[in-house]
Amino acid sequence: MYSEPVTQLIEAFAKLPGIGNKSAQRLAFHVIQLPKERAETLANAILQAVHTVQYCSICCNLADNDPCTICQNSKRDLHTIMVVEDPRDMAAYERTREYHGLYHVLHGVLSPMNSVGPNELKIAELLKRIQETSIEEVITATNPTVEGEATAMYISRLLKPLGVKVTRIAHGIPVGGDLEFVDEVTLTRALEGRVEL
């Protein structure tokens, strides 16, 4: 129905996560209608990211230098590591400006249904890192899903024999939420994670 270059562009966009065929068509036609300079800027940005972004050898975050800027920062708390599922979770915590420790990015969670076991995640790198440094606390900050909880428990069981304090982020009711619409599991977590005022 379309010329070969347009069809190839649509197919390329359709391979991206969360992009269906109609969205891929919209994106393809948007890119085609861009001024050539903007289209080339987009293409160059993609190529530059693909060629320069790598895993940090310490925390496994995506970075353009190794080690990444967070791992190089001597002003951070070097005794605490927050374990997150992916780089977007790390970025979310960085935006709060409340956490000043280090990170470790797993790049996923345990999911036997999707054939994701410990070897597919960056868990071995975490263990090695803890054994070679003076980490005192590991905060498991995986999402409150079945897979996220299982991953947090697995990591906790691996680290306890090493004498490292393992904590879990609190889960509960979002600010602005109404109790009547919150599920039972979230209400239970909120009750368990209560703090003194």
Side-chain angles (χ1 to χ4, degrees), residues 73 75-78 80 94 97-103:
N73 187 344
K75 294 181 181 175
R76 299 201 67 112
D77 175 2
L78 303 178
T80 307
E94 280 299 287
R97 300 181 190 273
E98 293 296 320
Y99 178 70
H100 305 291
L102 302 172
Y103 293 94

Side-chain angles (χ1 to χ4, degrees), residues 138-150:
V138 172
I139 303 166
T140 55
T142 53
N143 289 314
T145 60
V146 173
E147 293 87 357
E149 293 292 331

Side-chain angles (χ1 to χ4, degrees), residues 24 48 73 85 99 120 133 143 154 165-167 178 182:
Q48 182 177 2
N73 187 344
E85 291 181 22
Y99 178 70
E120 284 71 46
T133 58
N143 289 314
Y154 181 81
K165 178 181 177 183
V166 181
T167 58
D178 289 319
V182 177

Side-chain angles (χ1 to χ4, degrees), residues 6-25:
V6 174
T7 301
Q8 287 179 356
L9 187 57
I10 291 169
E11 289 173 356
F13 278 123
K15 291 178 182 174
L16 295 173
I19 303 293
N21 197 40
K22 288 192 185 262
S23 294
Q25 287 180 24

Side-chain angles (χ1 to χ4, degrees), residues 11-186:
E11 289 173 356
F13 278 123
K15 291 178 182 174
L16 295 173
I19 303 293
N21 197 40
K22 288 192 185 262
S23 294
Q25 287 180 24
R26 274 196 306 277
L27 288 168
F29 283 108
H30 176 77
V31 169
I32 290 168
Q33 294 171 354
L34 287 174
K36 286 198 188 306
E37 301 80 31
R38 286 188 58 202
E40 288 174 358
T41 300
L42 174 62
N44 288 334
I46 292 170
L47 288 173
Q48 182 177 2
V50 167
H51 292 298
T52 60
V53 173
Q54 59 189 327
Y55 288 127
C56 172
S57 60
I58 298 172
C59 71
C60 303
N61 186 27
L62 296 176
D64 58 351
N65 52 10
D66 187 27
C68 70
T69 54
I70 291 176
C71 290
Q72 287 182 36
N73 187 344
S74 61
K75 294 181 181 175
R76 299 201 67 112
D77 175 2
L78 303 178
H79 302 290
T80 307
I81 294 177
M82 179 182 288
V83 178
V84 295
E85 291 181 22
D86 69 37
R88 292 172 293 185
D89 299 333
M90 189 204 77
Y93 273 100
E94 280 299 287
R95 283 193 301 273
T96 68
R97 300 181 190 273
E98 293 296 320
Y99 178 70
H100 305 291
L102 302 172
Y103 293 94
H104 190 84
V105 183
L106 296 173
H107 293 280
V109 287
L110 295 173
S111 179
M113 298 291 286
N114 295 318
S115 301
V116 179
N119 294 335
E120 284 71 46
L121 303 177
K122 303 292 185 186
I123 294 175
E125 291 85 346
L126 174 64
L127 286 173
K128 181 180 179 211
R129 186 175 175 192
I130 289 170
Q131 291 168 341
E132 294 176 353
T133 58
S134 58
I135 300 300
E136 296 171 4
E137 180 182 6
V138 172
I139 303 166
T140 55
T142 53
N143 289 314
T145 60
V146 173
E147 293 87 357
E149 293 292 331
T151 304
M153 288 303 298
Y154 181 81
I155 290 170
S156 174
R157 288 188 181 131
L158 285 176
L159 298 182
K160 288 284 183 176
L162 301 177
V164 178
K165 178 181 177 183
V166 181
T167 58
R168 181 84 171 111
I169 58 169
H171 300 291
I173 302 161
V175 174
D178 289 319
L179 291 178
E180 65 181 302
F181 300 116
V182 177
D183 65 276
E184 291 81 11
V185 174
T186 303

